Amino acid sequence: MIPLFTAQPSGKNMEDATSSNPQSLGFTDKLKSWLSWSWTYICAVWFAMVLTMIYVLRSPLKLQDTLTSASVFLNTLTPKFYVALTGTSSLISGLILIFEWWYFRKYGTSFIEQVSVSHLRPLLGGVESSTTTGLFSSVNGEAEPRPSVSECKVWRNPLNLFRGAEYSRYTWVTGKEPLTYYDMNLSAQDHQTFFTGDTQQLKLEDTVMQKAWRERNPQARIRAAYQAIEMNHECAAAYVLLAEEEATTITEAERLFKQALRSGKLIYQQTGKDINLLVYIKRRLAMCARKLGRIKEAVKMMRDLMKEFPLLGMLNIHENLLEALLELQAYADVQAVLAKYDDISLPKSATICYTSALLKARAVSDKFSPEAASRRGLSTAEMNAVEAIHRAVEFNPHVPKYLLEMKSLILPPEHILKRGDSEAVAYAFFHLQHWKRAEGALNLLHCTWEGTFRIIPYPLEKGHLFYPYPGCTETADRELLPSFHEVSVYPKKELPFFILFTAGLCSFTAMLAMLTHQFPELMGVFAKAVIFHRTPPCQRSGLGEQELPSRECRGSALG
């Protein structure tokens, strides 16, 4: 595992390290740079030596006789040979094209280019970037160094669904698995560290539950949970697992979470531990109340939870609160929550950015008209709404297609990647109804969201309001989202060169094969003319000047 931050030596140690042997370090650097510089010319020198050897040994190797024999052999080929040749070339290039296209659709890159970069670039003197700092663009456009923190950190989805009551029901109806193994494995790791991290010495039932979270088979996890309950009837983690995976309705899940809350409170009062488990249970109970229509009760539970545990802001409970307040249409309370969490020093999310845009769009969207705006210009409120939409789209450009129903929605994963397609799916799944409720908001979004891409510098080496869009989101989203979902990619990747090349080669050779099959004699004459376009007719036919007294033959004989 790569550490996020590395310890720096003190001033004196650093001075000693750099001044201990400067001559040896300088000689090593010079040697490396010289080898890297000279490597680029080795191929040219080798090619020149090969040409020189061929020229010197042209007489012993009898190159002229060899070329004449090859010309005679090619002259005797029938049109069937050319049909077979072009047909085979077309078949091979077509297979390469199909494989390249499949690889590009699955992994987002060309297989040939990837192999070339991975294996040929080091041989040609290419050096991979291994620096621990990168250049990031600040808001004013200047480049500034930052620590190499992973841009593609995966976060727990604050609004993740219940496996037994929601994800499993989807599987029963459609026969498709909405969760990937990678996503469920991350959840198992979260539960192991989140629910047993405070206990120094694990109890027997905690050990059983740790093994239960690691089980891949859902039935095995449920059996392990019942085993832990038999060992200790107050095992709160076991009730949590049953509520998440065995309960087939939200009502049943809420009943099990209440049992887990009673057990968790008892353990917390006795030992003062398992705070994480208690917070998780209360949060899921609030989500159960929200799903069952008791929205005001859910809002109260979320507010109490945020007041009781203010240091657990990393759980993003405020995003659950924002969604519930939007359902109540308590827009003033939503604005108050945004004023607290939409701060430049706090990490952003699609929920914060797009909710802020929704509130500003709602104030002007009911009377907004593109034609009227183009005639009179945008008012101050409309300009603020458009700027908020541009800000949200720059943070996550995948969301508008789901809100405008240009892409089909799926069930959100249990983990999301900020600024990625997984976050867009999770946001649109829960907030599309709120955008539809605001009259004209989706129309305003439809008219303005694409204007964001004219503001963002291209290529995306600099950002406008945020740091440049990370290039690793596609790979992580493909791991988090199911295979039947078409992952949204930004920026849209152009087709690799080798796909275009193999497509052209396949089409060209297929056309040659078809023409050769239909017109064998004409294509045979054309092929011979192309092959022997520099050879005089007297040499091609093996005749002397007397038998074919053309001007070209006489010129060649005199020469």
Side-chain angles (χ1 to χ4, degrees):
M1 183 175 179
I2 302 175
L4 297 181
F5 299 98
T6 55
Q8 298 293 334
S10 62
K12 183 176 179 181
N13 293 339
M14 187 183 296
E15 208 174 304
D16 295 341
T18 54
S19 61
S20 60
N21 198 353
Q23 294 181 354
S24 61
L25 291 176
F27 175 75
T28 304
D29 295 338
K30 289 181 180 179
L31 181 61
K32 290 181 179 179
S33 62
W34 182 83
L35 289 175
S36 178
W37 172 81
S38 61
W39 182 255
T40 57
Y41 298 94
I42 291 178
C43 294
V45 173
W46 178 83
F47 186 69
M49 291 177 60
V50 170
L51 293 180
T52 304
M53 292 294 294
I54 292 175
Y55 179 77
V56 171
L57 300 176
R58 65 186 186 280
S59 297
L61 294 177
K62 298 180 180 181
L63 296 180
Q64 187 67 28
D65 297 340
T66 304
L67 291 175
T68 303
S69 301
S71 300
V72 173
F73 170 75
L74 294 175
N75 195 31
T76 59
L77 294 175
T78 62
K80 292 182 179 180
F81 170 79
Y82 295 107
V83 173
L85 178 64
T86 53
T88 305
S89 301
S90 177
L91 176 63
I92 294 175
S93 57
L95 293 176
I96 296 175
L97 173 63
I98 293 172
F99 175 76
E100 277 282 297
W101 178 257
W102 169 82
Y103 196 87
F104 175 73
R105 295 287 294 178
K106 186 173 180 64
Y107 300 105
T109 185
S110 168
F111 176 77
I112 299 177
E113 290 181 4
Q114 186 178 14
V115 171
S116 301
V117 171
S118 302
H119 299 283
L120 298 182
R121 184 177 178 183
L123 299 178
L124 297 177
V127 181
E128 296 293 335
S129 176
S130 58
T131 58
T132 59
T133 59
L135 289 179
F136 294 82
S137 172
S138 60
V139 174
N140 58 9
E142 297 178 358
E144 59 179 8
R146 294 189 69 205
S148 178
V149 183
S150 176
E151 293 179 334
C152 288
K153 178 181 177 181
V154 176
W155 298 74
R156 182 82 177 181
N157 183 5
L159 298 168
N160 66 306
L161 305 178
F162 295 88
R163 285 192 187 178
E166 293 172 308
Y167 287 121
S168 296
R169 292 168 69 90
Y170 177 83
T171 304
W172 298 337
V173 174
T174 63
K176 298 179 180 178
E177 289 291 342
L179 297 176
T180 63
Y181 175 70
Y182 175 72
D183 192 14
M184 293 189 290
N185 188 41
L186 290 177
S187 298
Q189 295 176 13
D190 292 342
H191 294 152
Q192 285 179 347
T193 57
F194 203 65
F195 297 157
T196 59
D198 292 343
T199 306
Q200 298 294 332
Q201 187 174 0
L202 294 178
K203 300 178 182 178
L204 188 58
E205 62 270 17
D206 295 330
T207 305
V208 173
M209 287 307 303
Q210 275 210 331
K211 293 176 62 178
W213 296 120
R214 290 196 298 265
E215 289 288 347
R216 188 169 184 177
N217 187 1
Q219 297 302 322
R221 291 195 293 269
I222 293 173
R223 287 195 298 269
Y226 278 115
Q227 181 182 354
I229 292 175
E230 291 178 359
M231 297 178 180
N232 183 4
H233 291 287
E234 302 299 331
C235 182
Y239 290 111
V240 169
L241 190 147
L242 294 178
E244 292 283 354
E245 304 208 17
E246 189 186 36
T248 57
T249 62
I250 301 298
T251 304
E252 186 179 355
E254 184 180 34
R255 179 184 61 80
L256 289 169
F257 273 121
K258 288 181 178 180
Q259 176 63 37
L261 181 62
R262 287 192 291 270
S263 302
K265 281 184 176 180
L266 182 62
I267 297 175
Y268 180 69
Q269 292 172 358
Q270 293 176 353
T271 63
K273 298 179 180 180
D274 291 343
I275 299 178
N276 293 336
L277 179 60
L278 193 63
V279 172
Y280 182 86
I281 295 171
K282 289 185 176 182
R283 178 183 191 168
R284 296 303 264 179
L285 279 172
M287 294 177 68
C288 288
R290 163 66 183 92
K291 292 176 184 293
L292 293 174
R294 306 194 307 271
I295 305 174
K296 291 184 179 180
E297 178 185 347
V299 169
K300 183 180 183 303
M301 294 173 67
M302 293 173 191
R303 290 187 184 277
D304 293 342
L305 190 59
M306 294 169 65
K307 290 179 182 178
E308 187 178 0
F309 303 100
L311 298 179
L312 295 178
M314 66 183 69
L315 299 177
N316 297 323
I317 304 176
H318 58 276
E319 295 193 11
N320 299 80
L321 179 61
L322 284 173
E323 197 279 328
L325 290 174
L326 286 173
E327 182 64 22
L328 288 175
Q329 302 184 38
Y331 296 110
D333 293 337
V334 172
Q335 186 61 54
V337 176
L338 286 177
K340 181 178 180 181
Y341 289 97
D342 192 5
D343 187 80
I344 192 171
S345 62
L346 297 176
K348 296 293 184 293
S349 66
T351 301
I352 290 177
C353 294
Y354 278 90
T355 302
S356 178
L358 173 61
L359 292 187
K360 293 181 179 179
R362 175 181 165 273
V364 298
S365 60
D366 56 339
K367 299 179 181 179
F368 177 78
S369 173
E371 294 78 10
S374 61
R375 288 195 306 268
R376 59 174 170 77
L378 295 174
S379 63
T380 303
E382 290 173 341
M383 184 62 71
N384 292 335
V386 172
E387 289 178 354
I389 290 175
H390 287 175
R391 171 178 179 261
V393 173
E394 181 182 354
F395 182 83
N396 193 318
H398 309 283
V399 173
K401 289 187 176 181
Y402 294 106
L403 292 180
L404 299 173
E405 299 182 87
M406 300 166 63
K407 281 179 66 73
S408 59
L409 271 174
I410 60 171
L411 296 185
E414 292 183 339
H415 290 80
I416 59 173
L417 180 66
K418 288 192 175 183
R419 307 187 74 177
D421 190 34
S422 53
E423 184 189 35
V425 169
Y427 172 80
F429 184 85
F430 293 101
H431 289 262
L432 176 59
Q433 57 181 336
H434 307 314
W435 279 82
K436 288 184 176 181
R437 187 179 295 122
E439 183 182 356
L442 290 176
N443 179 44
L444 179 60
L445 177 67
H446 175 72
C447 296
T448 57
W449 76 279
E450 291 182 336
T452 310
F453 306 115
R454 292 192 292 269
I455 302 175
I456 302 175
Y458 188 85
L460 303 176
E461 297 173 355
K462 295 181 179 180
H464 178 60
L465 298 175
F466 300 98
Y467 290 112
Y469 191 81
C472 56
T473 57
E474 180 185 0
T475 303
D477 280 331
R478 291 184 187 277
E479 295 288 339
L480 291 172
L481 297 171
S483 58
F484 57 83
H485 173 70
E486 183 179 356
V487 176
S488 177
V489 179
Y490 176 79
K492 196 67 177 179
K493 291 187 176 180
E494 299 179 356
L495 287 177
F497 166 76
F498 285 103
I499 290 183
L500 300 176
F501 175 75
T502 52
L505 181 62
C506 178
S507 303
F508 179 70
T509 52
M511 181 184 66
L512 287 181
M514 183 183 65
L515 291 175
T516 307
H517 179 71
Q518 293 293 330
F519 311 102
E521 296 182 358
L522 182 61
M523 292 302 294
V525 173
F526 175 75
K528 293 175 183 177
V530 171
I531 295 175
F532 304 110
H533 70 284
R534 290 185 179 179
T535 306
C538 56
Q539 293 184 13
R540 290 202 304 265
S541 58
L543 301 176
E545 186 181 55
Q546 296 79 8
E547 297 176 272
L548 211 149
S550 65
R551 181 179 299 177
E552 187 177 359
C553 288
R554 288 197 297 272
S556 61
L558 291 175

